[in-house]
Amino acid sequence: MPRPIVLVAEELSQAGLDLLTADFEVRTVDGADRSALIPALADVDAVIVRSATKIDAEALSAAPNLRVVARAGVGLDNVDVPAATGRGVMVVNAPQSNIVSAAEHAIGLLLSVARRIPAADASLRGGEWKRSKWTGVELFDKTAGILGLGRIGVLVAQRLSAFGMRLLAYDPYVQAARAGQLGVTLVPLDTLLAESDVISIHLPRNQETLGLLGEKELARVKPGVLIVNAARGGLVDEAALAAAVRAGRVGGAGIDVFAAEPTTESPLFGLPNVVVTPHLGASTIEAQEKAGLAVARSVRLALSGDFVPDAVNVQAGGAVAEQVRPFLVLAEALGQVFTGLAEGAPAAVTVEARGELAAFDVGVLQLAALKGLFSGVVEAAVTYVNAPLLAKERGVEVTLVATEESPDFRSVLTVRGVRADGTPHSVSGTLIGRRQVAKITEIDGYEVEVRPEAHLALVTYEDRPGIVGTIGAILGNAGVNIANAQVGRMFAGGEALMALSLDSAVPADVLGQIAREIGAHTARSVSLATG
Ligand code: NAD
Ligand code: MLT
């Protein structure tokens, strides 16, 4: 089997590379060089980038085998996430990896500006001993305004609090109570601009935030304010900021990020009370190590078809509880069996998690069931990413039910639905014993106990003696070995369902022979492909 190919398009920590080379063919390319990147994507399964590589619609179309785009960092403005989602490509980032480094860098920039450290350093090295020229300002007792009270904004707030600053923040998506717990007062943007001695920006770059601090806003700031941007270029208009600094309205600025990167030109570079760094917020040994390891782990999970907690375009984000994780494979198998029963996608489907399982976030089980459900239906590779989209496109109504009521099992999962013609179908399963062995426990209302092996045959017929023998003989003659067979029936002499798990798929003609010889009501063969 050829090993999956991982393209590393920017620098990655050695620890991350080591984790990848164990199982994958790892190739490298300079992702910033478009003419090298596009052909290099042709046969890769995963690509790892930082911020210099653009994975847009063109790059995605050049990568027909691509399953995952991994961003070794936080910001995703260089990845076309909606385009990736449409193609079923998972996008992951490393959201926690560099937040401490970025927050510390913002504080570093602020102190450098407040105490004019880089300029004083250059002056002394240049042969000047001037003390009064570099008089700075204290942070103590001043007001800090934080734009964006997310992961990094919070870390900056905590650090500025230690300096004895009063803290304001503008972030319409954060609850006042949460901000209050951190000692931060949420205020409108205008109040923050008018009252802050220091403004530190920690926003994502998007349509709403681009140019958030432009000429108009900079005209309303408290005179002498110090502005720090270690988030994304373009959030503060560089030309307007340079003009405000020159006019003395803004006392100084610490800028790590620029509208166009890389760059060696900006109207800010000529100003003495502006400290600039070339996008160094995440450039620490620790952050690079954490980001490299995090994306390498995510790529491994993604390429083995596993759930990836850091995936940004999977509807159920976040970590999966230990108690839920073992049910993922079962949920996918139940989805596949359901499709086999319904002989196609249903009009509506409900994923039910009953018992102890219901105490946890089971949204991911719905995704896994949908992944299984569509795996046998569409040509395209079905993933956790595009499974909900496929349901939406086909008008399949999807519901998730979680209830603690479960009379027969500690936890049980059911995929229940109706076909477009109104025929209902259901399949349930559970995990049994300390080894958590997966078992299908119910099919279309019949109690069974059969393992969801790679190949199943499901036959319904009128209950009478001799059927097991007849089916066994037909399969035996066809060379199909039965691993397990179970008969479920509502009452003796009524309709019965036989569920067989087999070592190989039942050929269609053999299934037809079974149906004819026993007068089966239905006879279906289901092959489960997991991963
Ligand atoms: P985050 O998503 O945790 O926080 C962003 C916050 O901004 C959220 O609380 C959100 O509610 C808020 N927000 C969004 N739109 C807003 C709007 N229109 N007005 C006000 N608030 C709004 O992100 P994070 O991990 O804290 O990262 C913050 C920024 O730092 C990102 O742009 C990220 O790319 C950047 N970053 C830069 C570096 C660097 O090297 N300089 C390193 C890491 C992260
Ligand atoms: C990030 O978004 O993670 C940072 O800006 C650092 C980087 O681009 O690598």
Side-chain angles (χ1 to χ4, degrees), residues 341-356:
L341 284 173
E343 296 179 316
V349 68
T350 302
V351 179
E352 297 172 4
R354 298 185 178 273
E356 291 172 6

Side-chain angles (χ1 to χ4, degrees), residues 50-51 71-77 97-98 231-232 257 279 281-282 288:
R50 286 186 59 187
S51 56
R71 162 74 163 97
V74 179
L76 283 161
D77 30 0
S97 59
N98 57 28
R232 278 291 177 269
V257 285
H279 202 145
Q288 292 316 306

